Amino acid sequence: MSKQPHFVPFALSLMLFSTSSAMGAEVESFQIPGREEIAAEYKWHLEDLYGSDEEWQTDYNKVKKMLPKVGEYKGKLDSSGKNLLACLMLRDDITKITGKLYPYARMHQDENTADNKYQALTGKAQSLNIEVNTAIAFIEPEIVGIPAERLEKMQKQVKGLGVYSFYLQSLMQQKQHVLSPREEALLSRAGEVAAAPATIFNVLANAEVKFPSIQDERGQEVQLSEGRYSNYLRSSDRRVRQDAFDGILGSYSQYRNTLAATLNGHVKQHVFFAQAHNYKSSQEAALMPNHIPVEVYDNLVATVNRNLTPLHRYVSLKKKALGLEEIHMYDLYAPVVKDVEIRISYPEALELVKNALAPLGEDYIADFNKGISSHWIDVYENQGKRSGAYSWGVYGVHPFVFLNYNGHFSDASTLAHEMGHALHSFYSAKSQPYPTADYVIFTAETASTTNEILLIDYMLAKTADKKEKMYLLNQYLENIRTTLYRQTMFAEFEKEIHDRSEEGETLTADLMEEIYHDLNVKYFGPEMIVDKEIDIEWARIPHFYRNFYVYQYATGYSAATAFAKQLQTEGEAAQERYTNHFLKKGGSDTPIRILKNAGVDMSTPQPIEITLAKFSQLLDELEVLLAQG
């Protein structure tokens, strides 16, 4: 099954680096190279998908011819197990092909976003996907309409249906939430209208909201943007931090009522669809289809709330380390260690990451090497290449990894992260049949983040330089703060506004600012000056338009921390569990059971508590080093 890409934001450096095609090393340059200047060994092999555009077109035509055959099974799935199996197999044959068609076009487009040919091909693939989804839309409602006893009998009579057993079981568990075909059709048609709030938000945030200019550290006037915001918040110049903070949030504040109405509309439509499908709450409606109990979400929030003291300590430490009389929200991202920059060339990063991932075992490293030698990765930035990083698993081929490697430690960490996704897809596809190879976001972020944690732990153990160690400790603490604490605060906000909406309240700008302000006061503690400007921050978070999504970053990081600890302390036993009971399981079971069988039980507070204990340990280490001066 084709995995949708996992995206990681890419922080653009003010200094651009290009590659020397002769040496493949990063060299300082103000010119971004053309794609033809990048050495072939640093480019992915999209020809592994299709040798030519003509081959792509052949498969495209094949799908178009297969689609009418799907309709021949409409209204007939309950007649026999053979019909059901034939229809599911035909659907899979079609989606295996479309799972190659779209990535081929899209990844070529990402190589050069100005390439009109692949823009057109991507659009063509997207349109085909819509045709496919329309053609197969009848399948799941018909399956749900089959009496449970009859469906069970079909599976016993037709052995080939065994591979679909978890899929069919999952569908039947949703039976009480599936309405009549006419009702489902009406709700489906309403989907485009329901998407309007998210569409409006995207237009507002990306096209209408205008950000001011500020002066950077050198006194040069620079235009603020969302992409530059995080860099300026990390500036060692407090004036720059505050100006960026005021500029970005002040700009959103000018649209506070419109943005409140937009988010209110989105939450209301989510509540409407949840109630229409007979869920107890919108939270349950978002979590249940992926087999995540509501208790897992609530347990995360409750556990973090019981452990806010270490975060308050961190705020206090940062205030002291930065020499501030008062610490404000715009100081939160400022590094406590200045003038430290870890530069790592790509070849050095490959060796570093492989050494760091040694706890995963020799087979994992061998497969990592196979990915490198088989050209899974597109490494360097080139003119027209889209920003960011992602991995994309394609069933029956291999994963692909998209980077814009720029020679920073964060780039090495991104390499580890994306190869974590890639090898998760590789092992799932290798070990699972197509219907159970795909995995959900809840587990996806665990595999990638485990690699990140192993890398930074390895770096901390390896470095003898005090300032470098302080820099890494600060980075590690920031990772946990922004991923566990911050995303859980977002999750708590999201649950609160949904609860209020379900109780009949209108989510006004005043109400949401009050909720968000109070959460910041609670999370960051008594020493933090919670500036009024932060109250509008909810208005710039796009993930609030993806229902109950952000908590998975926090649970994924917690599960990854627990796995990393086991891999570092238990050796081969942990390797075996992690590889065979997690990476190779794909989507063959519920994510909670997969993780539990691999050694991490996310239905309990333990993984979260392990992560919070790690935060406290790192904080202790940094306090000692800072005290030494």
Side-chain angles (χ1 to χ4, degrees), residues 241-254:
R241 298 198 299 269
Q242 183 174 0
D243 287 352
F245 178 83
D246 292 344
I248 290 287
L249 296 177
S251 297
Y252 280 102
S253 190
Q254 294 176 31

Side-chain angles (χ1 to χ4, degrees), residues 524-565:
F524 293 108
E527 292 198 57
M528 175 63 74
I529 305 298
V530 179
D531 306 274
K532 180 170 175 52
E533 288 80 3
I534 200 67
D535 299 356
I536 193 66
E537 189 180 41
W538 55 266
R540 60 176 286 267
I541 309 300
H543 287 83
F544 290 151
Y545 293 85
R546 301 183 69 178
N547 304 316
F548 293 97
Y549 183 91
V550 294
Y551 83 98
Q552 295 170 114
Y553 292 118
T555 54
Y557 197 98
S558 298
T561 302
F563 275 131
K565 182 179 179 182

Side-chain angles (χ1 to χ4, degrees), residues 423-466:
L423 285 162
H424 191 187
S425 296
F426 174 76
Y427 284 119
S428 293
K430 189 177 179 181
S431 306
Q432 295 293 324
Y434 183 72
T436 55
D438 205 7
Y439 48 83
V440 297
I441 295 295
F442 191 89
T443 52
E445 289 305 315
T446 298
S448 55
T449 309
T450 297
N451 282 13
E452 276 192 78
I453 291 169
L454 289 173
L455 174 62
I456 198 166
D457 278 340
Y458 176 81
M459 290 284 286
L460 275 169
K462 173 177 170 283
T463 185
D465 183 274
K466 181 181 173 182

Side-chain angles (χ1 to χ4, degrees), residues 352-452:
L352 174 66
V353 171
K354 283 190 285 186
N355 290 336
L357 300 185
L360 290 165
E362 293 179 2
D363 289 345
Y364 189 96
I365 301 303
D367 290 322
F368 182 100
N369 287 331
K370 178 181 179 181
I372 304 303
S373 62
S374 300
H375 294 272
W376 292 3
I377 305 180
D378 204 74
V379 180
Y380 294 113
E381 182 181 13
N382 59 252
Q383 290 179 23
K385 187 175 179 180
R386 68 160 284 168
S387 61
Y390 61 74
S391 69
W392 204 325
V394 181
Y395 192 88
V397 185
H398 60 71
F400 294 86
V401 171
F402 182 91
L403 300 177
N404 278 276
Y405 196 89
N406 214 11
H408 299 281
F409 170 69
S410 60
D411 296 316
S413 186
T414 298
L415 168 65
H417 180 104
E418 295 305 339
M419 283 300 285
H421 282 310
L423 285 162
H424 191 187
S425 296
F426 174 76
Y427 284 119
S428 293
K430 189 177 179 181
S431 306
Q432 295 293 324
Y434 183 72
T436 55
D438 205 7
Y439 48 83
V440 297
I441 295 295
F442 191 89
T443 52
E445 289 305 315
T446 298
S448 55
T449 309
T450 297
N451 282 13
E452 276 192 78

Side-chain angles (χ1 to χ4, degrees), residues 475-537:
Q475 184 63 49
Y476 209 153
L477 286 162
E478 281 294 286
N479 290 347
I480 299 175
R481 180 186 71 77
T482 56
T483 309
L484 179 54
Y485 280 114
R486 179 173 166 82
Q487 299 298 334
T488 302
M489 187 182 81
F490 285 173
E492 192 168 351
F493 174 79
E494 194 172 8
K495 186 175 189 307
E496 178 73 11
I497 61 175
H498 277 81
D499 287 350
R500 296 287 190 104
S501 185
E502 286 170 347
E503 291 165 4
E505 291 190 56
T506 298
L507 302 175
T508 64
D510 287 344
L511 176 60
M512 287 193 281
E513 286 181 7
E514 178 187 344
I515 294 169
Y516 200 80
H517 181 91
D518 290 346
L519 284 170
N520 275 278
V521 169
K522 178 173 71 171
Y523 272 73
F524 293 108
E527 292 198 57
M528 175 63 74
I529 305 298
V530 179
D531 306 274
K532 180 170 175 52
E533 288 80 3
I534 200 67
D535 299 356
I536 193 66
E537 189 180 41

